[in-house]
Amino acid sequence: MEYEEFLPSKSLAEIVQNYWTFYVPESENLNFPIEHETLPESCVSIVFIQQPYYKGIRMLGPRTTKFHQSVFPKSIYFGIRLHPWLRFQPDIFRKDDIINQTTEVPDIIGDYFSIDIDVKQYSTSLDWVEKDLTSFFNTIIIQQDDLVKFICLELTQGTPISTIVEKLPFSVRVIQKRFKNVVGISMRQFASNNKQRNLWIDLLENQHKKTDVIYKYNYFDQSHFINEFKRKMQRSASDYEAYLKTINISLVKN
């Protein structure tokens, strides 16, 4: 299995955070269906799906819980992950309504993207993808919330919420409400999602320094990390790590 993230061109960098693909080949070494799980994440993704029994386009909302999906051989998923600090008019992504959900895309998206395309070919043709995206984005109004963008970038770098709030000329309540209204999840949930992502990137790259990585992300000890991960994912960290090692992973670092 292969998972890859790659960046958009400069022309769409203000809208698209990154693209991702997840490919599941036919293999005698894999027992299907595979129960695929991922960490919670804070962005909306438009996802093109091509499976043996289904082909279509879905919308993956922000998540505060793990994502679970049974996957089958000869399947490919191609996602377009959008920046969390954007507002859209009309409100086609309805972030408050699609938290922890995968839903059908609204008709306005379906009008610009065909479900009949070969998803594997489409995901490797960035010019083709971005031509379609540009045509679609030109039909709606996209606004960037600069305050929320600042907070998101600070949280992504691991800055404590209290430190961020101290820098801003607004009350905590105003900031929290505005952030959740734009992103769909709270600042605390956003920070937790990014902490887990960055931690696992470090763990996969620094196998021989696990303890150092765990301390880096402010866990008291390995037990603290293991217990918190199990509460969040309902599985052990060692089991999840073993599963990740079955996937060829190439990530874009924040």
Side-chain angles (χ1 to χ4, degrees), residues 34-35 58 63-64 66 81 92 103 114 118 126 131 146 153 158 160 167 173 178 184 192 219 222 228 230 240:
I34 294 168
E35 299 307 313
R58 303 281 284 176
R63 302 196 66 85
T64 60
K66 69 179 180 180
R81 191 177 277 128
I92 53 177
T103 66
S114 171
D118 183 307
L126 193 57
K131 180 180 178 181
D146 291 333
L153 294 178
K167 299 177 182 179
R173 184 175 180 180
R178 182 163 164 180
S192 176
Y219 289 100
Q222 191 164 345
E228 183 174 301
K230 192 168 186 178
Y240 187 64

Side-chain angles (χ1 to χ4, degrees), residues 100-123:
N100 297 324
Q101 295 185 43
T102 305
T103 66
E104 294 289 345
V105 294
D107 291 340
I108 190 173
I109 292 179
D111 291 342
Y112 282 88
F113 301 95
S114 171
I115 64 171
D116 296 324
I117 59 172
D118 183 307
V119 175
K120 190 169 186 179
Q121 181 184 1
Y122 194 58
S123 67

Side-chain angles (χ1 to χ4, degrees), residues 117-174:
I117 59 172
D118 183 307
V119 175
K120 190 169 186 179
Q121 181 184 1
Y122 194 58
S123 67
T124 58
S125 305
L126 193 57
D127 289 344
W128 181 9
V129 171
E130 297 205 330
K131 180 180 178 181
D132 288 347
L133 280 175
T134 300
S135 296
F136 166 61
F137 290 142
N138 284 340
T139 67
I140 60 177
I141 298 172
I142 304 175
Q143 298 174 320
Q144 174 177 288
D145 190 309
D146 291 333
L147 174 65
V148 173
K149 178 180 179 180
F150 169 78
I151 297 171
C152 286
L153 294 178
E154 289 287 310
L155 291 174
T156 300
Q157 296 304 313
T159 306
I161 293 174
S162 58
T163 301
I164 297 171
V165 170
E166 288 175 357
K167 299 177 182 179
L168 301 174
F170 305 100
S171 70
V172 174
R173 184 175 180 180
V174 168

Side-chain angles (χ1 to χ4, degrees), residues 40-44 61-65 84 94-101 148 151-152 155 175-194 232:
E41 65 171 85
S42 307
C43 300
V44 170
R63 302 196 66 85
T64 60
T65 61
R94 311 182 315 279
K95 295 178 185 179
D96 284 344
D97 296 335
I98 62 172
I99 293 174
N100 297 324
Q101 295 185 43
V148 173
I151 297 171
C152 286
L155 291 174
I175 295 170
Q176 290 174 333
K177 183 176 180 180
R178 182 163 164 180
F179 186 92
K180 193 173 189 301
N181 186 48
V182 175
V183 180
I185 59 177
S186 71
M187 289 189 289
R188 189 174 299 279
Q189 291 164 335
F190 186 96
S192 176
N193 288 355
N194 279 277
K232 181 180 288 287

